[in-house]
Amino acid sequence: MFEFIGKNIKRIDAKDKVEGKAIYPQDIYIEGMLYGFTVRSKFPHAFIKVDVSEAEKVDGVVKVFTYKDVPGKNHHGVVLKDHEVFISKKVKRIGDPIAFVVAKSKEIAEYAASLVKVEYDILPAVFDPEEAMRENSPKVHDKDNVFYHFKIRKGDVEKAFKECDVIVENVYKVPMVDHAFLQPEAGVSYIDEDGKIVVIASTQYPHFDQEEIAQALGVSKDLVKVLTPAVGGAFGGREDITLQIHLAIAAFTLKRPVKAVYSREESFIAHSKRHAMKMYYKTGATKDGKLLALEAKIIGDSGAYASWSMNVLRKAAVHATGPYVVENVKIDSFAVYTNNPFTGAMRGFGATQVPIAYEQQMDILARKLGLSPIEIRLKNCFKEGSETATGQILEKVALEKCIEELKRF
Amino acid sequence: MYRRIKKVLGGDILKKRGKGIGVTFYGTGYGNGFPDVSRAYARLLEDGKVEILVGATEVGQGAKTVMVQIASETLNIPIEDVILVNEDTSKAPDAGTAAASRQTYNSGNAVKIACENLKDNILQEAKKILNVNSKIGLVCEKGSVYVKTYPSKKVSFKEIANINNNLKGEGVFIAHTTQMDENGQGAPYWPYTFAACAVEVEVDTETGEVTILRAKLVLDVGKAVNPTLVEGQIDGGFAMGVGYALMEDVGLKDGKMLNSSFEKYIIPTSLDIPNIEKVLIEYPEDTAPYGAKGIGEPVLLPVAPAILNAIYDAIGVRFYEIPVTCEKILLQLNKG
């Protein structure tokens, strides 16, 4: 018997949040602090030239930062370092950060941002991942747009489909969606009494932000301190860097506290999206309802940057059969660059998209076979000792019990 | 809840009802052999309370509460005697990201190990103070150590801390996964969490509106550290699933999001969410702290497919593309 596990202990952060006492980065005010506003690309694919001279003349503007002002590496990214802190030559999506205007007030920063001149030399762009997979398509990163292809091969699908009594083939599409967390991105950066660069921001992984900030500043990790006050939801949308590095560079260079707060619209533009996917599914079963073969091709729109795409498309493929035993499996998943908003982590991480396909396939098969949705699932679901499409042997499987519970609905 | 009165026109029922289910699984963690490491430190403070340092971010999911409960259980001390430090990279060690439903499992294990190590050191110290011949037979309870068969021989954590102010414990947990080969064969994630959902919907064939009348969500949790928090995750995950199935799309046109504010990007409100019957299946996972698996993502996965299957059951139309908006439903129904 447990004393504390399994007990409904009141959330230890609840009282502060309910009473409005919890501190979010938006709430932080430091005497003499400056405000930053980001200039972003208006076109999805273009070479740019930036002129900040007019903006810097505005009374109250302290400095306009561009790629030239990045002290360390002008890049970041959770897996591939394919994001630039500020775009140096080519924008790859609408919303790419180009400059960060730092001024005495938010209003001045925002006004001066409108005076930053960006000259765009528009390039042909690609928005459809399947089009982007073609050889002659515009290249987002000056290389093949397909940057990840993951395969699962188990058994012999061709032979198995011949033995199937029923085969169901469909194409499913899911769109890009937003995390829509309650609290848009906000942060403050300053140098503390020990000379450390402090970044206060809503993030999911402070220790990783610390590394990325240190790299961009060209300083050792120990000189950077990340504080995470209350975070108003994340769902994967705070995995990638948004304003953390911009703030750190500004505070590090100007030796003054700098704050930035995104509007809801800027939040949508700044962070990743859930991957849009196109899923080609072919599922076959015998007449008694046993799944025999599954073939799937999953194309994930990574947008302009990789973020977690490799891991997301891998997770999508591993979960593509659903929680069912299928002895013959052929799955191909692809992550493809386009000039769309970039996609990354979002609750479920690839395992959210595939059930839209595999669970509808199960119902369509059940109907054709005269089985109930529960019957076909019980017949095929993972049990103690079952083997997954990747050959993994499962133990502690409570799935049958979960499905049985649905009988009482 | 606001619900319109069922209209009957010329004998045709304009609202049709249907039921559907969705069943899913989710592999926890970074996966595929990637080093998935959580670190935690536990330290006995002067006042007899225990400080837990772990860099697990509270993003609203309940990480703070779960870590404290695991520490309380392991050391058998009251909740208020655990001081959690998780918000400063210069103090709390790296516990990985608050994602992949991994904090309860991974960092929970790290906290548990750190507390077990601290407990061991506390008992060692208590053995000396109480002048007994072995740690065996000593019990930790409510911030004191005593001899189980002779409870009056007792010393408090505070007294122990005053004699030795350097009692600590470190916990490191690395989730095991095996990288897949070129044929995608391997053991990419662990543990897997299962979920099943049933919904009943009502489709208004005049407006295309889908109302979810009732729902049930069954979740394999291993062990619920805090059932109320799990139920909260189910409510939130269900709402996100409703948005995914019926409403949400950033609306891309030539790389531009047409729906980039809440004026156009519609998400569910509490009025769109029915009362959800929640069933937690407890089948403790051996490698998990007190058997508890990650549930933050698993709660979402079966919801949207259950809704899609229920819509088919109601109106006989299969939607291969989401979100299934009112417009899409009307378009399909008017095709005849």
Side-chain angles (χ1 to χ4, degrees), chain B residues 188-301:
Chain B
Y189 303 103
W190 195 258
Y192 288 95
T193 301
F194 302 97
C197 178
V199 298
E200 184 174 10
V201 302
E202 186 171 73
V203 182
D204 186 323
T205 58
E206 266 196 330
T207 65
E209 189 186 8
V210 177
T211 306
I212 298 160
L213 301 174
R214 59 195 189 95
K216 179 172 187 171
L217 201 133
V218 189
L219 185 65
D220 147 48
V221 296
K223 171 78 193 169
V225 174
N226 186 320
T228 302
L229 286 183
V230 175
E231 289 180 10
Q233 284 276 23
I234 292 175
D235 284 323
F238 191 89
M240 193 177 262
V242 171
Y244 197 43
L246 302 177
M247 302 168 188
E248 297 181 40
D249 181 356
V250 298
L252 287 178
K253 185 158 181 6
D254 297 335
K256 189 177 167 63
M257 286 183 276
L258 299 179
N259 309 326
S260 62
S261 75
F262 288 149
E263 195 185 335
K264 286 183 171 170
Y265 190 88
I266 308 300
I267 58 174
T269 71
S270 56
L271 292 180
D272 299 307
I273 309 304
N275 190 32
I276 304 159
E277 184 191 346
K278 299 161 186 123
V279 181
L280 309 185
I281 305 284
E282 296 201 321
Y283 190 20
E285 158 61 30
D286 293 340
T287 64
Y290 301 105
K293 298 204 267 191
I295 55 92
E297 291 164 289
V299 292
L300 158 70
L301 311 188

Side-chain angles (χ1 to χ4, degrees), chain A residues 4-6 8-9 11 153 173 178 204-205 207 226 239 315 319 347-348 359-360 389-390 392 405 408, chain B residues 23 26-27 58 69 73 89 92 97-98 183 186 189 192 216 225-226 228 233 265 296-297 318-320:
Chain A
F4 302 99
I5 298 293
N8 292 318
I9 305 292
R11 290 183 69 113
R153 300 288 183 269
K173 275 178 84 175
D178 191 75
Q204 279 173 261
Y205 191 3
H207 287 85
V226 177
E239 285 274 299
K315 203 157 211 170
H319 292 77
R347 203 180 198 176
E359 279 301 87
Q360 294 208 79
T390 73
Q392 188 167 7
E405 271 291 336
R408 290 179 288 278
Chain B
V23 176
Y26 180 83
E58 171 67 60
Q69 280 182 260
E73 185 69 43
T89 54
T97 179
N183 287 319
Y189 303 103
Y192 288 95
K216 179 172 187 171
V225 174
N226 186 320
T228 302
Q233 284 276 23
Y265 190 88
E297 291 164 289
R318 192 49 75 190
F319 289 91
Y320 302 96

Side-chain angles (χ1 to χ4, degrees), chain A residues 73-112:
Chain A
K73 295 226 163 79
N74 183 31
H75 72 202
H76 65 86
V78 289
V79 180
L80 307 178
K81 301 289 173 195
D82 62 355
H83 279 272
E84 286 184 294
V85 174
F86 296 112
I87 301 300
S88 56
K89 289 191 191 82
K90 191 174 95 161
V91 296
K92 300 175 186 76
R93 61 160 181 139
I94 292 171
D96 262 343
I98 294 170
F100 192 59
V101 181
V102 177
K104 284 180 178 160
S105 76
K106 206 183 169 197
E107 292 70 27
I108 297 171
E110 202 168 336
Y111 167 68

Side-chain angles (χ1 to χ4, degrees), chain B residues 115-134:
Chain B
C115 290
E116 281 164 354
N117 289 335
L118 173 64
K119 186 177 170 182
D120 207 52
N121 291 333
I122 289 173
L123 290 177
Q124 195 65 40
E125 194 63 33
K127 187 196 100 175
K128 281 192 250 165
I129 298 165
L130 296 172
N131 196 23
V132 292
N133 63 354
S134 161

